[in-house]
Amino acid sequence: MHLSIIIPAFNEERLIECCLQSISASLTANDRPGFTSEIIVVDNNSTDTTAELARQAGAQVVFEPINQIGRARNAGAAVAAGDWLLFVDGDSILSPGLLADILQLIEDGRSVGCGSTVKMHGLPWWAHWMLQLWTRVSILCRWAAGALVVCRSDAFRDVGGFNQELYAADEIGLSQQLKKWGRRRGLQFVILTRHPLDTSSRKVQLYSAREMASQILRVILHPRRSLQDRTQLPIWYDGRR
């Protein structure tokens, strides 16, 4: 089994090294006969040293000039050689336990892919409540969080990858497509819960509760218009880091 780990990254010089170190440590901890991997960082038109730091860490670096998360993920998948694709955000930490659960799921052969629950540190009460709500929805609907999506490469290509018409929530659409692809072949798409992905809470630190609420309300009231226009998604695209 060859696993391609794909990291979309826009101006992640503060966090990309920790992400890559966690991946290397998790791969070492889960080394086994017949298991190989590659790490691909997609430089999504960064203006900082993200690409240089990724190369220094031994990752393959791909450049995607259009600043869009789905397009960056697809650019990484386009050069990936793996039987399976693991997309993880550059502000996240991949633990050995979570990778072990992913590899076990792959080896069991009963799944087309998976997501995982996530954890964030230092959240205020309202953000903690929102995360708990998302966790329940994610598990119930089997929707992967964008910070981690894993799937068979043939399934990913058959369903067309991430929807490049969307600037956010494209992981939900992909989850739905993978579930349909899997059902036709007797395979499931699951959300792993034993080892939540440790991901950054920086959005909560950088944006006020009012800004976050305004963004969420805009998406709820005008989903198509908001998700297809990056100017309507400042929390994802205004460049605040």
Side-chain angles (χ1 to χ4, degrees):
M1 184 237 303
H2 187 57
L3 177 67
S4 296
I5 300 175
I6 300 165
I7 308 164
F10 170 66
N11 286 352
E12 291 289 5
E13 64 181 5
R14 293 183 180 180
L15 299 174
I16 192 67
E17 288 179 296
C18 289
C19 176
L20 291 169
Q21 288 167 6
S22 74
I23 291 170
S24 295
S26 294
L27 289 171
T28 299
N30 285 281
D31 188 32
R32 61 192 71 186
F35 171 50
T36 58
S37 62
E38 62 181 354
I39 301 173
I40 301 167
V41 172
V42 183
D43 172 18
N44 199 194
N45 205 27
S46 298
T47 57
D48 62 5
T49 60
T50 294
E52 180 183 347
L53 292 172
R55 289 191 186 95
Q56 289 175 0
Q60 176 184 352
V61 177
V62 175
F63 181 68
E64 168 50 56
I66 298 176
N67 189 216
Q68 181 186 13
I69 186 67
R71 193 177 291 268
R73 290 167 175 153
N74 286 342
V79 302
D83 310 298
W84 282 75
L85 309 175
L86 189 163
F87 300 91
V88 61
D89 282 357
D91 62 348
S92 298
I93 301 296
L94 182 65
S95 70
L98 177 53
L99 182 58
D101 286 350
I102 292 168
L103 296 179
Q104 185 62 57
L105 175 139
I106 293 172
E107 291 172 354
D108 286 347
R110 297 194 298 267
S111 300
V112 62
C114 68
S116 83
T117 53
V118 300
K119 62 181 178 181
M120 300 179 186
H121 302 285
L123 294 178
W125 69 268
W126 58 268
H128 178 75
W129 180 86
M130 288 173 59
L131 179 58
Q132 293 304 306
L133 176 61
W134 161 254
T135 298
R136 291 184 176 88
V137 171
S138 173
I139 294 171
L140 177 64
C141 299
R142 289 178 293 135
W143 290 346
L148 182 85
V149 183
V150 183
C151 64
R152 286 173 44 159
S153 59
D154 57 346
F156 181 85
R157 295 184 175 99
D158 283 351
V159 304
F162 289 93
N163 185 350
Q164 293 183 182
E165 292 184 1
L166 301 178
Y167 284 84
D170 49 329
E171 64 276 1
I172 294 176
L174 180 63
S175 298
Q176 297 284 65
Q177 291 299 314
L178 290 172
K179 285 192 290 185
K180 291 179 183 177
W181 191 95
R183 274 197 299 269
R184 294 194 293 269
R185 295 162 176 83
L187 301 172
Q188 59 186 346
F189 185 86
V190 303
I191 304 300
L192 302 174
T193 60
R194 281 207 314 164
H195 299 95
L197 179 73
D198 191 346
T199 194
S200 169
S201 61
R202 65 180 170 191
K203 283 186 173 62
V204 177
Q205 298 164 3
L206 293 170
Y207 298 89
S208 67
R210 182 176 180 179
E211 287 175 305
M212 296 285 286
S214 175
Q215 177 72 95
I216 292 168
L217 186 61
R218 186 182 301 125
V219 171
I220 291 173
L221 293 177
H222 307 286
R224 178 168 301 197
R225 186 174 70 191
S226 299
L227 295 174
Q228 293 182 347
D229 182 357
R230 60 181 291 173
T231 65
Q232 298 293 312
L233 299 166
I235 287 178
W236 281 276
Y237 290 100
D238 71 359
R240 214 179 295 185
R241 286 290 186 270

